[in-house]
Amino acid sequence: MAPTPDILATFEAAKGFMPVDEGLALYAAARDAGRLGLPLLEVGTYCGRSTILLADAAREGGTVAVTVDHHRGSEEQQPGWEYHDPSVVDDDPGVGRMDTLPTFRRTLYKAGLEDHVIAVVGRSPQVAKVWQAPLGLVFIDGGHTDEHAGADYEGWAPHVAPGGLLVIHDVFPDPADGGQAPYRVYLRALASDAFTEVSVTRSLRVLRRTGLGN
């Protein structure tokens, strides 16, 4: 089942990088995982484009979407890099750093989904260390270095409940198409005793927890 036209239009209008076909695959995975009645967690909020889909699926499943981000931008979003957007830089002269949190809050408000999201402002590994609850879905879409992507996998994959889903974005087997850190995380998950692949949609991979490994 696809999101409603209103939700899809809000997703397409939101600032972010996920294309529609991958968004629809993420939504389908979130609807599937939402049947477990457990929270759906996203690492890497940015401005909330994908959060819209997770939140709507969580609403349908009677659960909640949790999204984790420090809101200072990942490596490739800093000044001078390819994905830098000066419109999300704090214009206070005493700060002058990226701050995507206000844009994210506007995105959720416009989507009418604020009541279905818990936004955690902090660094993923620190949050993962204090997280105790099982999760129906973990969507890894944060920093794209080996250090950050690996830490996201190590911190959050163990929290995926049996039957739950691990979703990894920006998986590019060919280095010419993009960075390799998410691809290496994907290979780690497949090589473990924990996950089997469910679907592939361009750079989005969906895996289900079927075992006890990490």
Side-chain angles (χ1 to χ4, degrees):
M1 183 176 179
T4 66
D6 286 347
I7 291 294
L8 187 57
T10 306
F11 164 80
E12 292 188 85
K15 189 184 294 292
F17 309 104
M18 177 171 279
V20 172
D21 57 346
E22 293 181 350
L24 293 176
L26 175 64
Y27 181 79
R31 285 288 301 264
D32 180 351
R35 296 187 179 97
L36 296 175
L38 299 171
L40 314 176
L41 185 137
E42 168 185 55
V43 181
T45 312
Y46 191 53
C47 295
R49 184 177 172 96
S50 54
T51 316
I52 292 170
L53 302 178
L54 294 177
D56 192 55
R59 178 182 60 81
E60 291 288 336
T63 184
V64 67
V66 180
T67 185
V68 180
D69 200 311
H70 50 66
H71 288 281
R72 294 300 189 190
S74 56
E75 304 77 16
E76 66 272 18
Q77 294 161 3
Q78 300 308 313
W81 290 80
E82 180 179 3
Y83 293 104
H84 180 63
D85 182 349
S87 72
V88 291
V89 173
D90 190 327
D91 59 7
D92 185 321
V95 180
R97 297 183 64 194
M98 286 192 66
D99 185 359
T100 55
L101 183 57
T103 306
F104 161 67
R105 295 202 66 176
R106 285 193 294 272
T107 298
L108 276 192
Y109 175 79
K110 290 176 182 178
L113 292 167
E114 289 182 302
D115 291 345
H116 305 284
V117 176
I118 297 172
V120 181
V121 180
R123 296 190 176 275
S124 168
Q126 293 174 309
V127 179
K129 284 181 181 178
V130 299
W131 188 268
Q132 299 295 321
L135 296 165
L137 176 145
V138 167
F139 175 41
I140 297 178
D141 193 24
H144 285 37
T145 64
D146 282 307
E147 175 188 1
H148 292 119
D152 290 339
Y153 174 73
E154 291 161 12
W156 292 107
H159 294 292
V160 178
L165 298 176
L166 174 68
V167 184
I168 307 170
H169 194 214
D170 294 327
V171 173
F172 298 112
D174 185 346
D177 295 329
Q180 294 292 284
Y183 177 58
R184 284 189 278 269
V185 164
Y186 160 74
L187 293 180
R188 283 181 65 182
L190 286 181
S192 74
D193 295 325
F195 297 100
T196 56
E197 190 164 81
V198 174
S199 70
V200 174
T201 304
R202 210 179 328 185
S203 77
L204 192 84
R205 303 293 190 271
V206 179
L207 300 90
R208 190 178 306 278
R209 178 177 281 280
T210 55
L212 298 177
N214 291 325

